[in-house]
Amino acid sequence: RIRAGFDLAADLAGPEGVPCIVLMGYGQPENYERDRELLAERFRGLAEEAKSRGVTIALESHVGQAIDSPDRFIWLVKRVDHPNFRLNLDSSHFDVMGYSIAESIRPLAKYAVHTHLKDQRGRYPNHEYLTPGDGDYDYVTYLKELDAAGYRGYVTVEISVMVQKKPGYDPIAAAAKSYQTLTRAAV
């Protein structure tokens, strides 16, 4: 599927180039030390394959997986050491682990080629992802930190499966609320 995704991204390339492919890190946090070299080897190989199609891999550090902290991602990106291996910056995963916006954006923005943004409440493992605006995430600070770090890519909304599975979920209402929330934060 990943390799087919490389082909699809290359086929969808437009004037701005080939879209990145967002991947997860897999593994478990408690097995990080044991598995990190294998993850680096696998992502290096995938990055080399992606390069042949003009694609960049954007790994999403994810709560509950081996690459679940800014430090772990930085170790991995340096170990992989490939221009086609970057970051999908989804700070919600760091937020539910107790990292501040600055603690996740400042060290990671320089590696980011894409973002996911959602709201959240609680701390891992007792957390919940929300539609932007349904929680108390500080989008003004988030956008200011991205700007200060020099990030010039897209800021995209992700509506979590946790939200989509709720009774009465309305994707149009979620998109409108997300747009309003981020528009207010940006001015």
Side-chain angles (χ1 to χ4, degrees):
R1 281 191 319 208
I2 292 170
R3 289 172 182 92
F6 296 164
D7 293 338
L8 178 61
D11 291 346
L12 294 174
E16 294 181 5
V18 179
C20 66
I21 297 290
V22 176
L23 299 177
M24 300 294 201
Y26 307 99
Q28 301 297 316
E30 60 273 13
N31 296 329
Y32 168 73
E33 291 296 331
R34 183 193 76 196
D35 295 343
R36 69 185 195 160
E37 290 292 342
L38 178 61
L39 285 169
E41 177 186 320
R42 297 257 169 93
F43 281 117
R44 189 178 307 108
L46 285 171
E48 191 59 31
E49 287 185 52
K51 179 182 175 184
S52 72
R53 299 292 284 143
V55 173
T56 297
I57 296 169
L59 177 68
E60 183 171 321
S61 292
H62 204 283
V63 65
Q65 293 186 354
I67 308 301
D68 64 352
S69 71
D71 290 345
R72 288 180 177 188
F73 176 79
I74 291 168
W75 178 89
L76 185 63
V77 74
K78 288 180 178 180
R79 188 70 167 172
V80 170
D81 190 27
H82 197 289
N84 293 68
F85 180 74
R86 307 310 285 169
L87 175 67
N88 175 54
L89 183 53
D90 184 339
S91 63
S92 68
H93 296 286
F94 302 123
D95 186 71
V96 300
M97 292 179 61
Y99 290 92
S100 71
I101 294 170
E103 288 172 325
S104 61
I105 302 296
R106 289 179 186 172
L108 295 177
K110 65 183 170 189
Y111 303 109
V113 293
H114 197 268
T115 64
H116 280 166
L117 183 63
K118 54 188 170 286
D119 221 319
Q120 51 276 339
R121 175 176 32 234
R123 291 286 178 250
Y124 175 75
N126 301 310
H127 64 288
E128 175 183 22
Y129 291 120
L130 308 167
T131 299
D134 282 349
D136 60 3
Y137 192 70
D138 185 352
Y139 295 101
V140 171
T141 297
Y142 169 84
L143 293 172
K144 285 181 179 179
E145 287 288 342
L146 280 178
D147 184 55
Y151 179 77
R152 299 294 177 259
Y154 293 104
V155 174
T156 62
V157 170
E158 176 185 28
I159 304 299
S160 170
V161 172
M162 287 181 176
V163 173
Q164 293 179 38
K165 287 184 175 182
K166 289 181 180 175
Y169 167 68
D170 180 348
I172 303 299
K177 183 169 200 159
S178 299
Y179 178 79
Q180 292 165 357
T181 300
L182 292 175
T183 300
R184 280 193 305 272
V187 286

